[in-house]
Amino acid sequence: MRIKPRKTSEDATGDLTPMIDMTFQLIAFFMVLINFSEADQDQRVQLPLSVIAKPPEAPLDSPIYIHMQDDGTVIFAGEDLSLEGLGVYLDREREILALNNKSADQATVIIRADGGAKTGKVQELIQMCQQKKFEKFALRAKEDVGY
Amino acid sequence: MKVRNAREAEKIEIPMTPMIDIVFQLLIFFIMTFKIVSLEGDFNIKMPASAPSQGAPDEDQLPPMKLRLTAGEGGGLSGITLNDRQFGSLDELHAYIIDLVGSDESDDGLEGAEVELDCDYGLNYENVVAAITAVSGEIDDDGSIIKLVEKIKFTPPEPQ
């Protein structure tokens, strides 16, 4: 008996179009939502919740982020510091502002303090910034959406 | 002249494998670097370093309301006092502030009013944010913020 060659096996390639469509959609989704900014958030700090904490409508003028952990240590520019050690860094920030023709009172110091930090420590941090001529502060809180 | 079979043209296929490889690599990269960012908001306070007061104080300027928060065991909130008036909870304080705004003639919150926070050193910071939330605004039914007292400041800290 003569066996016929199997021509049908060549047609086994599936249609890839739907899969590629979906993959591109997924890529587009993740590309739009990706957030590379590491400076303004720190996972070690658990912000207190507030129902009226809404994201600002306009970007703040010359923001300076200072994080405070629950034990009172300060995180600034990725480094763990004591309150006393922060002074040098604030001086440096002021010099950078001066290079951009701005004074310290134009900058906004954003304080991201942990909910378990002592209020006295936060106040000392504010006092330290005041000594370095910073005037505008923003106490950051996480939006309480109820879940 | 030999005419070529038109079927030969159909055999040209674009290799999909490299493209799919790259696409999946991109997809995995984006999935791995994806993080859900929770929304954050700010309470703005303007606190210049203790500037010497020049001349007589402005008569239109209301004196700041003193909000005293005392710390209990483990940094919890144990006492709330606003201008010598005691409150059992922050909800009571919030209701009192709403009454104050309701009796005020202006539409835009307590215009010119200021709250000065006097907190114990060991009080947990989350209580301060809760107190600021109670005095500075509320969310109405359609999700917009009704402003109450906007000016907030702290008394200088007292070392423990």
Side-chain angles (χ1 to χ4, degrees):
Chain A
M1 197 181 82
R2 194 175 169 186
I3 299 167
K4 285 183 181 178
R6 289 186 179 180
K7 280 187 178 177
T8 49
S9 61
E10 288 173 14
D11 298 328
T13 51
D15 187 8
L16 292 173
T17 320
M19 191 192 74
I20 293 168
D21 282 356
M22 206 190 68
T23 315
F24 273 114
Q25 288 227 15
L26 281 170
I27 288 179
F29 170 75
F30 285 112
M31 269 177 78
V32 169
L33 289 186
I34 200 165
N35 182 14
F36 283 112
S37 61
E38 293 283 336
D40 59 342
Q41 292 207 345
D42 197 293
Q43 299 302 319
R44 287 170 284 182
V45 174
Q46 294 293 318
L47 291 183
L49 296 171
S50 172
V51 284
I52 58 168
K54 297 278 181 196
E57 287 167 8
L60 293 165
D61 191 21
S62 309
I64 298 169
Y65 287 89
I66 302 177
H67 310 262
M68 180 177 265
Q69 295 183 75
D70 55 356
D71 60 355
T73 51
V74 173
I75 305 168
F76 186 76
E79 288 188 53
D80 283 25
L81 304 164
S82 65
L83 258 181
E84 294 75 31
L86 181 68
V88 185
Y89 287 83
L90 288 176
D91 283 335
R92 202 178 293 166
E93 284 294 326
R94 213 172 49 188
E95 284 167 18
I96 293 167
L97 284 166
L99 286 174
N100 293 322
N101 295 323
K102 285 183 176 174
S103 58
D105 57 0
Q106 287 175 291
T108 310
V109 178
I110 298 167
I111 296 172
R112 295 184 82 254
D114 194 288
K118 286 179 178 172
T119 306
K121 288 279 182 192
V122 180
Q123 285 183 280
E124 282 174 0
L125 171 63
I126 293 173
Q127 208 173 32
M128 162 70 82
C129 296
Q130 285 176 326
Q131 285 166 7
K132 302 294 178 187
K133 309 282 184 239
F134 290 98
E135 289 187 4
K136 285 196 276 184
F137 300 93
L139 304 178
R140 188 146 280 192
K142 195 156 66 170
E143 187 182 8
D144 188 1
V145 284
Y147 53 82
Chain B
M1 196 179 80
K2 191 180 176 184
V3 179
R4 284 188 182 181
N5 195 346
R7 282 189 181 179
E8 281 180 23
E10 288 174 16
K11 287 182 181 175
I12 300 168
E13 277 187 16
I14 305 161
M16 297 296 277
T17 322
M19 193 192 75
I20 294 170
D21 284 353
I22 298 288
V23 164
F24 273 110
Q25 290 231 13
L26 279 171
L27 186 61
I28 289 166
F29 168 76
F30 284 118
I31 290 173
M32 299 299 267
T33 51
F34 180 67
K35 59 180 179 198
I36 299 165
V37 181
S38 52
L39 293 175
E40 296 177 0
D42 296 320
F43 295 104
N44 292 311
I45 49 174
K46 198 170 190 310
M47 277 175 55
S50 53
S53 57
Q54 292 177 347
D58 190 357
E59 285 182 7
D60 295 335
Q61 185 72 37
L62 292 167
M65 294 185 272
K66 280 231 173 201
L67 179 59
R68 173 101 183 90
L69 302 174
T70 44
E73 198 77 10
L77 187 61
S78 68
I80 308 157
T81 314
L82 181 72
N83 288 345
D84 300 327
R85 187 187 172 119
Q86 290 219 338
F87 295 92
S89 68
L90 287 172
D91 291 336
E92 279 181 33
L93 173 71
H94 183 62
Y96 177 72
I97 295 284
I98 289 173
D99 281 350
L100 278 183
V101 176
S103 62
D104 196 72
E105 288 171 3
S106 63
D107 302 331
D108 192 23
L110 279 170
E111 201 156 326
E114 186 173 24
V115 168
E116 187 176 335
L117 286 164
D118 180 12
C119 311
D120 277 355
Y121 191 92
L123 183 71
N124 281 349
Y125 176 66
E126 60 191 354
N127 296 310
V128 178
V129 171
I132 295 174
T133 305
V135 297
S136 58
E138 65 170 342
I139 296 276
D140 67 358
D141 295 334
D142 61 351
S144 55
I145 298 171
I146 300 170
K147 286 174 180 170
L148 300 171
V149 180
E150 283 188 77
K151 290 186 192 168
I152 309 256
K153 68 175 180 180
F154 286 95
T155 53
E158 291 164 15
Q160 216 176 23

